[in-house]
DNA sequence: AGTGTATCCTGCAGGC
DNA sequence: TGCCTGCAGGATACAC
């Protein structure tokens, strides 16, 4: 569900409020949400830790604490990480983990489908995992030329290539399709056949769609909510994703849908080659 | 090594 | 109304 802009929006909601709070208690209602831990071990690991910062890496919410322990939340398809000021009622539909924080605040992880994961471990273990992920597309170090070089070795379809987190971090099905639309590249095009100028167009498409989506608070199709339970408003700005049969905003021809890699791709057959 | 497929899980929309 | 099918923003284990 949530891709880079949605996770970034959650992080921006938490970053001003969560740091400084100490984790006083943890209740795990859905143990299968925990990545490589048990409710008892997880609760013991985070108890008494004070949050230092909340940041994003790829589609992960990264919560640093003192004592060199990092908590990482991946929202999967339908996960929500919600923050509750003191006295506010916790409203959840599929509560998986609940935290009691200092000064009466609380946080909850809610997830209908339970594809998301909550992990806690030493900073160094997290850094090892993070080092396997590709570059952040909004980093200055990520350029059109770097993208073109990375594409050269691969014959994977461009949409599949963009979804692989080892290539680029944080891209999911919505923004992969949107960026390919903006660059005029079909989702099925083998990566190595993307030209240098197309790679620059794709870089620019990625940065512009991600930046605009963040400005809109992300895309809510159904489940996504920010840390305050609010929807994102980018869905109305989508040009290709989910619009099969509707006119291409540029040429008016109908957008097509094609399933491969187990997921739907959307493209304009006239504007994208 | 790189790529494709199946799988985890629940809910909802659409067809009959 | 109810039943059935297909589909959904992700990540990973496996087969080739």
């Amino acid at each position: 569900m949530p891709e880079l802009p949605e996770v970034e929006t959650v992080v921006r909601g938490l970053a001003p409020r969560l740091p400084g709070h100490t984790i006083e208690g943890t209740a795990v209602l859905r143990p299968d949400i925990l990545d490589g831990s048990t409710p008892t071990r997880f609760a013991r690991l985070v108890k008494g830790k004070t949050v230092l910062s909340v940041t994003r890496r790829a589609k992960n919410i990264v919560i640093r604490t003192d004592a060199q322990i990092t908590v990482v939340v991946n929202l999967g398809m339908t996960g929500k990480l919600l923050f509750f000021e003191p006295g506010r009622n916790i409203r959840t539909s599929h509560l998986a983990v609940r935290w009691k924080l200092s000064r009466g605040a609380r946080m909850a992880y809610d997830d209908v489908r339970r594809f998301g994961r909550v992990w806690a471990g030493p900073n160094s273990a997290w850094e090892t995992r993070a080092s396997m992920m590709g570059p952040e597309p909004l980093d200055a170090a990520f350029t059109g030329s770097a993208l073109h070089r990375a594409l050269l070795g691969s014959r994977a379809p461009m949409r599949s290539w963009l979804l692989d987190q080892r290539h680029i971090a944080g891209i999911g099905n919505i923004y992969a399709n949107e960026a390919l639309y903006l660059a005029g590249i079909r989702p099925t095009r083998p990566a190595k056949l993307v030209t240098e100028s197309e790679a620059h167009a794709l870089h620019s498409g990625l940065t512009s769609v991600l930046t605009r989506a963040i400005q809109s608070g992300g895309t809510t199709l159904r489940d996504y909510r920010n840390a305050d339970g609010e929807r994102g408003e980018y869905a109305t700005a989508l040009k290709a994703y989910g619009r099969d049969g509707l006119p291409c905003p540029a040429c008016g021809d109908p957008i097509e849908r094609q399933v491969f890699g187990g997921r739907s791709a959307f493209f304009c057959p006239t504007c994208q080659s």
Side-chain angles (χ1 to χ4, degrees):
Chain A
M1 150 214 216
E3 308 180 29
L4 187 156
E6 290 75 36
V7 178
E8 180 66 27
T9 302
V10 174
V11 164
R12 290 185 185 188
L14 292 173
R17 293 179 288 178
L18 190 56
H21 281 287
T22 300
I23 299 170
E24 295 183 346
T26 306
V28 180
L29 291 87
R30 291 290 195 168
D32 56 353
I33 282 296
L34 296 181
D35 184 358
S37 191
T38 63
T40 311
R41 273 205 303 158
F42 178 86
R44 202 163 40 213
L45 196 55
V46 301
K47 188 178 173 63
K49 306 298 187 292
T50 298
V51 175
L52 299 178
S53 67
V54 184
T55 55
R56 180 190 59 75
R57 173 74 170 110
K59 300 171 195 169
N60 300 284
I61 300 159
V62 181
I63 302 170
R64 290 253 178 203
T65 72
D66 57 352
Q68 303 290 102
I69 294 294
T70 299
V71 178
V72 179
V73 178
N74 184 298
L75 301 173
M77 294 279 250
T78 55
K80 303 169 196 166
L81 188 59
L82 301 161
F83 184 84
F84 300 91
E85 303 285 358
R88 296 289 288 276
N89 280 344
I90 289 203
R91 268 223 181 74
T92 55
S93 58
H94 297 75
L95 185 61
V97 184
R98 182 161 34 95
W99 290 273
K100 186 174 181 288
L101 306 172
S102 53
R103 288 177 269 133
R106 284 166 298 178
M107 190 164 69
Y109 181 69
D110 182 285
D111 192 343
V112 177
R113 291 173 73 183
R114 302 203 305 283
F115 286 177
R117 290 293 177 265
V118 176
W119 177 92
N123 292 354
S124 57
W126 166 246
E127 278 150 20
T128 301
R129 289 179 50 172
S131 71
M132 321 267 274
M133 299 169 191
E136 288 289 332
L138 296 180
D139 271 6
F142 179 71
T143 63
S145 304
L147 175 58
H148 185 238
R149 281 194 298 276
L151 291 170
L152 285 177
S154 171
R155 47 193 186 77
M158 273 309 299
R159 203 280 312 269
S160 308
W161 193 93
L162 288 170
L163 293 188
D164 189 331
Q165 300 299 295
R166 295 167 301 185
H167 297 150
I168 307 190
I171 307 301
N173 204 27
I174 293 180
Y175 301 109
N177 279 282
E178 291 299 293
L180 289 168
Y181 171 85
L182 293 174
I185 301 168
R186 286 222 191 184
T188 46
R189 174 107 65 95
K192 58 166 64 167
L193 299 186
V194 170
T195 67
E196 168 113 44
S197 70
E198 285 175 325
H200 279 89
L202 180 56
H203 174 265
S204 135
L206 280 166
T207 52
S208 81
V209 74
L210 294 172
T211 304
R212 286 164 206 262
I214 291 170
Q215 285 166 359
S216 301
T219 300
T220 295
L221 297 177
R222 174 175 297 160
D223 302 285
Y224 167 70
R225 296 292 186 277
N226 68 15
D228 293 303
E230 301 160 337
R231 303 167 57 92
E233 299 303 329
Y234 195 72
T236 55
L238 296 174
K239 292 181 157 69
Y241 182 88
R243 298 191 69 251
D244 56 315
L246 297 173
C248 165
C251 77
D253 288 348
I255 297 289
E256 289 185 11
R257 169 175 172 266
Q258 181 180 350
V259 177
F260 65 93
R263 331 189 55 179
S264 294
F266 302 89
F267 63 97
C268 171
T270 307
C271 299
Q272 292 173 262
S273 59

